[in-house]
Amino acid sequence: MPAWVHFPDVEKADWLNQILDQAWPYFGIFMEKVFRNSIEPAVRASNIHLKTFTFTKIHFGEKPLKIKGVKAYTKGVDKRQVILDLQISYVADCEINVEIKKICKAGVKGMQLHGTLRVILEPLIGQSPLVGGVTFFFIRRPLLEINWTGLTNLLDVPGLNDMSDGAILDIISSYMVLPNRYCIPLIDQVQLAQMRFPLPSGVVRVHLIEAEDLVPKDTYMMGMVKGKSDPYANLRVGTQSNRSKTIKENLNPKWNEVYEFVVHEAPGQDLELEMFDEDPDKDDFLGSLVIELGEVMNDRVVDEWFPLSDIERGKVHLKLEWLSLLMDLDRLVENNHGLSCAMLVVYLDSAYNLPRNHFEYSNNEYGMKKNKNPKYLKSKKSNGEPSAHVEFSIDKELQKSKVSRSTKDPVWEESFTFFIKNVHSQCLTIEIKDDDKKCALGVLSIPLKRLLTAAEMTMDQRFQLEHAGPSSMIKMKAMLRVLAMKEPDPDSVYTGLNALKKGPLSIKNKRSSRNQSSSPTAHPAYPVLPTPPAHPAHPANRLNSALSEDNLERESSSHYNLRPSSNGESKPMTPAAPIMRTSSVSRPRTRLDTQSIDLSICSSRFDLTEDQIPFPNGTNYQAGGLGEIQMTVRYVPQRKSLTVLVNSCRNLIAASQGGSDPYVRIYLFPERSWSSRKKTTVKKKSVNPLFDEKFEYSVPLEEAQRRKLDIAVKHNKSFTSHERKELGKVLVDLSQQDLIQGFTQWYELSMDGLQKS
């Protein structure tokens, strides 16, 4: 049944399906170009055995995608965004064939895809196209079935021979689910990397305590005598999963284990739990449940017995704690019985001037130690560009980036999260390795305690690599956030058992294997110590990250406002039984509730201005000037207009190895609408461009004398380029000038537009 039958807030979308039906042939044409121009080269570059990978046929069939229901979130979310949940059903008659080395041929002939696709339209703006960008992803893993052709031949290919049909489906499904996002920026101010890596909503700590009255699945004497069960639980949030220990022969098992999961979207993501009886051949299903984490975020603590679904009987005792990401050092509690006290979020951007191998530079004892096999070193070519990946490690936890092939200036654009137990003693180790030569290209070690004294507990810069070339650097952003529980809103209604998801569950009747691997972002189990009732939370500053319309339309540094919450007396809360608070009005649910000042991991959201500028020569703007711009300004009474002449620039910073393609953008502050935006032509490959272009603003003299000129010099980069766009700014105060007489002056560029005193 479609979702709108079960849920009154889910609407039908017949008109949208009619549009899809009409546009489906053209969608097929577009997707064929994507497959041939984007996917095919990416597959060839991913593995040496796939260099001859080719799509021989791409046909998306006649049956279009169907949308069974639409749910819109406009209340309780950021006013600059619209969130849509689309119930997707795709029963395709598509046919896609591939060929490798003209010998191995395989393909897909028909598939099914069912799931909930979340679409986020943000930021909403006052000009065309009204939306700054579109982000879409599956909130939880969709149901995916593929009818393979020639799969046996495909799995004989080197590099794929260790996979199975199920493993391939798992990989495809994981790319569709959070934290993976597909983003399309629609305006210049919104950058792709900023949309893909917003800060997580929070962390849910799951105490798997015990279960009762489980169904006995083990039998003896050919089923005549019923025994007990050997239960274990699988827990999943998005792509993160963990498995509990197995309790032998017990229908009332006690686990006392704790797991921690990163929650990227709340409301939206769910905690999925499945319970199985471990058997030598196939594990028997003991029940499942799905808990909405948006409700847990509202309650802060949910401590309940939850009934298991899809089974005759059984219940499980869970305690769920919602941990917010804070920048309040007073809330940092280390050595908390082995539990995490903080979370480290790392955004890996790129590296520059990596050595081709560890012989390219002198005194590289590190590289020699990492690879002591002389026969291996002689057998490998050492002249090509490196294929580098990055390994991040904290203690025994290791996470790896993708491989950026055949370049000494790799770009990764990935994010990683680590749970931290002791900030003062733990250290983040970064190692860049050549994937082909198996040697180290540079290392870096950052003690986490350095982040405690950094501004906003964040380090966003280029780091000099050790045991590498003199100009080898890595650009990344590391953010430390304290994990702490906020006091629930006194006007909210305790959810408790109502957090259980109603209607069709996404994991019903699923019989997954007992050997499920854990995601690196999910925390391993901790033993549970006796926990007292929830204690009063300390008063803490509440962060409100709101983007004003002016902040979006101007291309300057975004500074978010801090608004402290009222410091009231916190009352102890005992969540063992449902509690009705004093108001029937539910607290609005918002994704911004637990986010910090910086909503995006990679940089200030919807803005590229940074404290450290990634110029190609490895320097930053603080090491020298950004150049100068010469302006002539005069008011013409006869025309009642302010005339601005952009003369020239000199000594600009080169935004790429080939120089810069500069142009000048002007606003008459405080007006920053697109209609008042003035822009010069682009001068190619020049750091000393000559413009000589005149612009006029129709404004009375008295008004002009109260205005300021907001002038920015920019690099005209391509849509997919990773080059720097901002070259410098200057803010000219017209109240300090004689506009009738006019003036011509050189101004020194800076990143904030303020002139040095």
Side-chain angles (χ1 to χ4, degrees):
M1 295 290 287
W4 57 268
V5 175
H6 298 278
F7 304 104
D9 55 350
V10 177
E11 300 178 358
K12 296 175 64 176
D14 290 341
W15 63 274
L16 195 53
N17 288 319
Q18 293 174 8
I19 294 176
L20 287 173
D21 188 43
Q22 189 78 5
W24 192 252
Y26 303 95
F27 173 81
I29 296 173
F30 169 75
M31 289 304 298
E32 181 175 358
K33 294 179 181 178
V34 171
F35 271 61
R36 296 196 185 279
N37 299 335
S38 300
I39 298 178
E40 187 175 287
V43 173
R44 290 179 175 180
S46 65
N47 193 299
I48 191 173
H49 302 291
L50 301 177
K51 287 186 176 180
T52 59
F53 179 92
T54 305
F55 286 107
T56 57
K57 182 177 182 179
I58 301 175
H59 178 58
F60 277 82
E62 306 298 329
K63 297 180 180 179
L65 178 79
K66 296 293 184 181
I67 299 178
K68 298 295 186 179
V70 179
K71 181 177 180 179
Y73 297 85
T74 56
K75 296 181 180 179
V77 299
D78 185 1
K79 293 182 179 180
R80 300 299 302 274
Q81 69 178 188
V82 174
I83 300 178
L84 302 174
D85 282 349
L86 308 181
Q87 306 294 330
I88 299 296
S89 179
Y90 183 37
V91 182
D93 57 346
C94 61
E95 186 174 359
I96 302 174
N97 297 328
V98 301
E99 183 179 270
I100 302 174
K101 296 182 178 179
K102 297 187 180 297
I103 300 175
C104 175
K105 297 181 179 180
V108 172
K109 192 170 185 179
M111 63 175 291
Q112 291 191 43
L113 176 67
H114 307 277
T116 301
L117 182 72
R118 171 156 291 189
V119 180
I120 301 178
L121 309 175
E122 66 173 342
L124 303 179
I125 57 178
Q127 293 83 30
S128 178
L130 300 180
V131 176
V134 180
T135 301
F136 54 95
F137 50 84
F138 282 95
I139 296 176
R140 62 192 67 86
R141 180 173 166 172
L143 172 64
L144 178 65
E145 295 182 1
I146 298 178
N147 182 25
W148 301 100
T149 59
L151 181 62
T152 303
N153 296 331
L154 182 66
L155 295 180
D156 289 335
V157 176
L160 299 177
N161 50 11
D162 58 343
M163 292 187 176
S164 64
D165 185 357
I168 293 176
L169 291 177
D170 289 344
I171 293 173
I172 295 174
S173 298
S174 66
Y175 276 103
M176 303 177 181
V177 182
L178 278 173
N180 299 297
R181 299 169 184 257
Y182 295 88
C183 308
I184 304 174
L186 302 179
I187 60 176
D188 290 341
Q189 293 93 327
V190 178
Q191 299 299 315
L192 181 62
Q194 298 165 358
M195 298 175 65
R196 288 180 58 196
F197 304 110
L199 203 62
S201 295
V203 171
V204 62
R205 180 176 289 159
V206 182
H207 298 254
L208 175 62
I209 302 174
E210 57 185 326
E212 281 187 359
D213 197 24
L214 298 181
V215 175
K217 289 291 185 177
D218 295 335
T219 59
Y220 305 98
M221 299 179 64
M222 302 187 66
M224 297 178 61
V225 178
K226 285 194 173 184
K228 296 185 179 181
S229 292
D230 305 320
Y232 70 89
N234 284 330
L235 300 98
R236 181 185 299 111
V237 175
T239 58
Q240 309 162 77
S241 62
N242 265 314
R243 172 183 162 161
S244 74
K245 63 185 178 184
T246 301
I247 307 296
K248 294 293 185 180
E249 298 185 356
N250 199 323
L251 299 180
N252 301 290
K254 297 182 184 296
W255 287 282
N256 290 325
E257 296 178 359
V258 181
Y259 305 92
E260 290 171 341
F261 297 93
V262 179
V263 182
H264 296 273
E265 288 286 324
Q269 286 190 285
D270 301 324
L271 169 67
E272 303 175 2
L273 182 145
E274 294 175 296
M275 201 163 292
F276 292 92
D277 167 42
E278 185 177 68
D279 287 324
D281 47 3
K282 183 180 178 181
D283 296 350
D284 297 314
F285 184 70
L286 292 177
S288 65
L289 58 87
V290 178
I291 296 176
E292 296 184 57
L293 294 179
E295 304 292 354
V296 179
M297 181 183 71
N298 292 340
D299 288 338
R300 309 301 187 203
V301 177
V302 175
D303 190 347
E304 297 286 353
W305 282 91
F306 292 94
L308 294 171
S309 302
D310 307 315
I311 198 73
E312 302 91 81
R313 65 178 188 268
K315 57 184 178 179
V316 60
H317 184 192
L318 299 176
K319 180 180 179 181
L320 310 175
E321 298 174 325
W322 182 266
L323 305 177
S324 301
L325 309 183
L326 308 177
M327 290 190 295
D328 187 357
L329 289 177
D330 293 336
R331 304 294 300 276
L332 181 64
V333 180
E334 296 179 302
N335 302 317
N336 184 20
H337 305 299
L339 300 178
S340 301
C341 64
M343 186 172 73
L344 177 69
V345 183
V346 179
Y347 171 69
L348 171 64
D349 186 278
S350 54
Y352 305 88
N353 299 318
L354 293 180
R356 290 183 174 84
N357 54 68
H358 53 265
F359 297 113
E360 188 175 275
Y361 48 88
S362 60
N363 299 323
N364 185 17
E365 300 87 356
Y366 183 84
M368 295 297 294
K369 291 179 181 178
K370 296 300 288 186
N371 205 327
K372 297 181 179 180
N373 189 345
K375 294 182 179 180
Y376 177 83
L377 294 176
K378 291 180 181 178
S379 66
K380 291 289 181 179
K381 295 182 181 180
S382 58
N383 296 325
E385 299 288 343
S387 296
H389 73 272
V390 181
E391 294 184 359
F392 295 95
S393 62
I394 296 180
D395 296 336
K396 295 182 180 180
E397 183 177 0
L398 177 68
Q399 298 187 38
K400 297 182 181 180
S401 75
K402 64 185 179 183
V403 179
S404 182
R405 299 212 167 262
S406 302
T407 176
K408 65 174 184 175
D409 300 315
V411 176
W412 293 285
E413 291 185 340
E414 294 182 74
S415 80
F416 306 86
T417 56
F418 293 86
F419 288 108
I420 307 301
K421 297 180 182 178
N422 195 313
V423 178
H424 289 87
S425 63
Q426 290 184 292
C427 182
L428 174 66
T429 302
I430 302 125
E431 185 175 359
I432 301 181
K433 289 186 175 181
D434 190 321
D435 196 61
D436 296 330
K437 304 181 182 67
K438 308 300 179 184
C439 63
L441 303 176
V443 296
L444 177 66
S445 182
I446 302 176
L448 298 184
K449 62 184 179 181
R450 287 179 54 187
L451 290 164
L452 296 177
T453 57
E456 298 179 4
M457 302 171 68
T458 301
M459 298 177 67
D460 184 7
Q461 64 187 72
R462 287 188 177 195
F463 296 88
Q464 176 68 52
L465 291 170
E466 301 174 2
H467 306 292
S471 60
S472 298
M473 308 187 81
I474 183 171
K475 186 179 188 305
M476 51 179 274
K477 182 175 185 178
M479 304 170 62
L480 186 69
R481 293 295 179 263
V482 176
L483 296 180
M485 194 186 308
K486 289 184 177 179
E487 188 71 10
D489 192 314
D491 292 334
S492 66
V493 178
Y494 178 68
T495 304
L497 289 173
N498 292 326
L500 275 176
K501 202 153 184 121
K502 306 299 190 300
L505 303 182
S506 61
I507 63 171
K508 277 188 177 182
N509 301 321
K510 184 163 48 172
R511 305 293 185 265
S512 60
S513 170
R514 70 176 184 267
N515 298 320
Q516 296 197 16
S517 59
S518 299
S519 168
T521 53
H523 203 284
Y526 303 113
V528 171
L529 299 177
T531 54
H535 56 276
H538 297 289
N541 288 338
R542 188 167 187 170
L543 303 173
N544 182 8
S545 305
L547 285 170
S548 67
E549 186 168 348
D550 285 343
N551 282 342
L552 261 173
E553 292 175 347
R554 69 171 179 256
E555 294 161 342
S556 58
S557 299
S558 298
H559 299 286
Y560 299 88
N561 296 325
L562 295 180
R563 292 192 303 182
S565 63
S566 58
N567 292 329
E569 185 71 20
S570 300
K571 296 182 179 180
M573 181 184 66
T574 305
I579 300 171
M580 184 66 70
R581 299 191 178 97
T582 56
S583 172
S584 61
V585 180
S586 296
R587 181 169 60 88
R589 306 173 192 172
T590 169
R591 293 195 309 138
L592 301 180
D593 178 64
T594 60
Q595 294 182 358
S596 67
I597 292 176
D598 194 345
L599 292 180
S600 174
I601 298 171
C602 53
S603 65
S604 297
R605 192 151 197 187
F606 311 130
D607 194 279
L608 272 185
T609 303
E610 305 173 37
D611 291 337
Q612 303 288 335
I613 307 173
F615 294 126
N617 57 5
T619 61
N620 59 67
Y621 81 93
Q622 294 173 344
L626 299 180
E628 297 174 294
I629 183 172
Q630 188 186 53
M631 305 290 298
T632 298
V633 181
R634 181 171 179 264
Y635 189 85
V636 183
Q638 294 83 358
R639 300 172 58 88
K640 295 184 178 179
S641 65
L642 180 71
T643 300
V644 179
L645 177 64
V646 181
N647 299 320
S648 60
C649 296
R650 63 188 181 192
N651 302 325
L652 297 179
I653 293 293
S656 65
Q657 299 293 346
S660 294
D661 297 336
Y663 67 93
V664 179
R665 185 270 297 145
I666 306 174
Y667 285 121
L668 185 60
F669 188 81
E671 182 63 42
R672 294 182 184 273
S673 64
W674 288 105
S675 60
S676 67
R677 184 174 183 265
K678 308 296 183 183
K679 175 184 173 183
T680 68
T681 57
V682 177
K683 303 298 180 181
K684 294 289 186 179
K685 307 299 181 185
S686 175
V687 294
N688 298 291
L690 178 66
F691 295 100
D692 283 335
E693 295 186 41
K694 183 175 68 174
F695 305 97
E696 290 188 359
Y697 290 92
S698 297
V699 59
L701 175 61
E702 296 77 16
E703 182 70 18
Q705 290 173 334
R706 295 194 296 267
R707 298 290 192 97
K708 297 179 180 180
L709 285 175
D710 183 356
I711 303 165
V713 182
K714 296 175 174 288
H715 168 60
N716 187 44
K717 68 172 187 174
S718 64
F719 178 77
T720 58
S721 172
H722 299 285
E723 297 167 356
R724 180 78 190 180
K725 181 172 182 177
E726 298 281 355
L727 299 181
K729 301 177 183 177
V730 64
L731 193 64
V732 180
D733 189 354
L734 300 182
S735 65
Q736 307 297 320
Q737 304 289 344
D738 186 349
L739 297 182
I740 298 297
Q741 182 178 353
F743 61 93
T744 299
Q745 187 172 332
W746 283 97
Y747 293 94
E748 185 176 354
L749 297 173
S750 64
M751 286 315 299
D752 56 9
L754 302 179
Q755 302 179 45
K756 296 181 180 179
S757 57

